[in-house]
Amino acid sequence: KQWYQRRVRGGNVCLIRVLVKGDLVGLGPDAMNFKSVVELINHYSDVSLAQHNKNLNVRLTNPLPKDMQEDNFADMEQEEETWAIYVNFYLESEIRTKRNEKCRQELLEAEEEAKKLSYRATAQHRIVEMWKEQLEIRTMALHHFSSEYLDHIRTNFEEQEKRLVAAEKELDRISELVTEVQCKVRELVLLKKDMEKKKATLYRKMDWYERMLTIEGIDNDTISNCIAPFKQDLGAKILIPGIKEMWFVGEMNSLDANKVLMSKPNATKPNGTFLVRLNSNRNYVLSVVNKNCIRHIKVHEDETKNQYWLKPSTRFYSVEQMIKYFRKHSLGEQDREYNTVLTYPVYYC
């Protein structure tokens, strides 16, 4: 619903749109304060329209009769259509102006981007030209010096090849010498081991003879005068401690001890056969035949207290005292696995 009010002001006709929203009527969205058009007309007949628009400082005092309104309806509709055409044209011109402005802005941005791309393309083109010039210069230089350089490399390669051949021949000769030296070293090592075994055997024999002479009652000075020159000729110190018992065989490994304790191949001497020896670490070891098997029992030693034992529970002040004890008592007191008495000492020479 729309109603139009027409008021003559200075010879001009102003059209004011009346808004209807639900049950309320007003001249604008912020002036919907009337319940009917009559109430609105009565209000503005006493109050100026300047409340709605500052340019309309008039009141609705002279209403137009109905007969005159009918004559002017066509003019009013024509004016309304003209006004609508003008508004549409204005809106369309505003839209075109905004579009033209946007297109102009985009065109300017595109021109700026094109300039940047042009600058970049120009710079890249210059760089490519510089690279081409450098590549041509290097190609010319390489082509100029390639033949001489290749001849130089070929000459060096031939010289290095000759040196390599000579080095291989020298290496073969050195390898043969090393092989010969290794063979001679092996022979010397075997000879040294054989000499050490013979020397150890001579020491054991001299020690055995020395103990036999001691048992026979010959004084130590006489024994030393007889045996010391032989030991001095061997060029080594006496390695056997001062145990004068016949069951002590001096330094001996476990394999030689097994050979001594075996009566024949694959057969041992009677149970209780024993000897005392020194191993490679200079520790006492008791080798004994127990249950037809040869056992090697380490003798522990405390040098500070001068004590010897098989088990810490029973300690002795000398090896002789320990052997004397176990010749009357079973080794089972120390370990149930060795249930035998040291009965038959081995006199090894």
Side-chain angles (χ1 to χ4, degrees), residues 111-125:
E111 289 178 355
E112 292 293 331
E113 188 68 23
K115 288 181 181 180
K116 292 180 181 179
L117 293 176
S118 177
Y119 293 153
R120 291 179 184 176
T122 304
Q124 291 178 357
H125 180 71

Side-chain angles (χ1 to χ4, degrees), residues 137-339:
I137 294 171
R138 292 180 182 178
T139 304
M140 292 174 62
L142 181 62
H143 180 72
H144 179 70
F145 295 105
S146 59
S147 59
E148 297 179 0
Y149 184 69
L150 289 174
D151 293 337
H152 179 68
I153 292 176
R154 189 180 296 107
T155 304
N156 289 339
F157 180 75
E158 291 175 356
E159 292 178 358
Q160 291 180 2
E161 188 176 5
K162 291 179 181 179
R163 292 177 183 175
L164 182 61
V165 172
E168 289 179 351
K169 292 181 180 179
E170 185 68 17
L171 184 61
D172 293 337
R173 189 180 67 81
I174 293 173
S175 178
E176 293 177 358
L177 292 175
V178 169
T179 304
E180 294 178 0
V181 171
Q182 288 178 348
C183 293
K184 291 181 180 179
V185 168
R186 292 193 192 98
E187 293 176 358
L188 291 175
V189 170
L190 294 175
L191 182 61
K192 182 180 178 181
K193 289 182 179 179
D194 186 51
M195 292 295 295
E196 289 178 351
K197 287 183 180 179
K198 290 180 179 179
K199 187 184 291 187
T201 302
L202 289 174
Y203 268 117
R204 282 196 292 269
K205 287 184 178 181
M206 285 188 288
D207 187 69
W208 187 81
Y209 289 138
E210 184 178 357
R211 285 182 285 172
M212 289 293 293
L213 292 174
T214 302
I215 292 172
E216 294 295 331
I218 299 174
D219 59 301
N220 293 330
D221 294 336
T222 304
I223 295 173
S224 298
N225 293 330
C226 294
I227 295 178
F230 295 101
K231 292 184 177 181
Q232 187 176 2
D233 292 338
L234 291 175
K237 297 180 180 179
I238 299 175
L239 302 177
I240 302 176
I243 298 178
K244 304 300 181 182
E245 298 293 338
M246 299 299 295
W247 38 259
F248 181 69
V249 298
E251 186 173 353
M252 181 183 291
N253 57 33
S254 59
L255 296 177
D256 293 337
N258 292 341
K259 293 178 181 178
V260 172
L261 294 175
M262 293 176 67
S263 58
K264 60 176 85 173
N266 300 325
T268 59
K269 293 183 178 181
N271 291 335
T273 304
F274 71 96
L275 60 84
V276 178
R277 59 185 177 86
L278 288 174
N279 60 12
S280 59
N281 296 326
R282 309 294 295 172
N283 295 322
Y284 290 104
V285 179
L286 174 62
S287 299
V288 60
V289 180
N290 178 49
K291 298 180 182 179
N292 297 323
C293 294
I294 300 173
R295 307 289 183 180
H296 303 282
I297 308 171
K298 182 180 179 180
V299 179
H300 300 277
E301 180 179 1
D302 187 352
E303 296 180 355
T304 57
K305 297 182 180 180
N306 196 22
Q307 293 180 351
Y308 303 87
W309 67 91
L310 300 180
K311 293 290 181 180
S313 58
T314 307
R315 302 193 179 202
F316 305 93
Y317 292 100
S318 65
V319 178
E320 294 91 334
Q321 182 183 3
M322 182 184 69
I323 297 300
K324 185 177 180 180
Y325 177 83
F326 286 112
R327 294 194 72 173
K328 296 181 180 179
H329 300 82
S330 174
L331 292 172
E333 296 180 0
Q334 304 297 314
D335 194 338
R336 295 180 181 178
E337 183 180 357
Y338 308 116
N339 189 14

Side-chain angles (χ1 to χ4, degrees), residues 5-18 27-28 44-60:
Q5 298 174 357
R6 189 169 64 177
R7 172 65 178 167
V8 177
R9 182 179 64 83
N12 296 324
V13 177
C14 296
L15 300 178
I16 304 173
R17 180 173 293 181
V18 179
L27 298 181
Y44 284 108
S45 63
D46 298 327
V47 179
S48 176
L49 289 172
Q51 290 183 350
H52 172 65
N53 191 341
K54 294 180 180 180
N55 297 324
L56 299 175
N57 189 13
V58 294
R59 291 183 291 112
L60 303 178

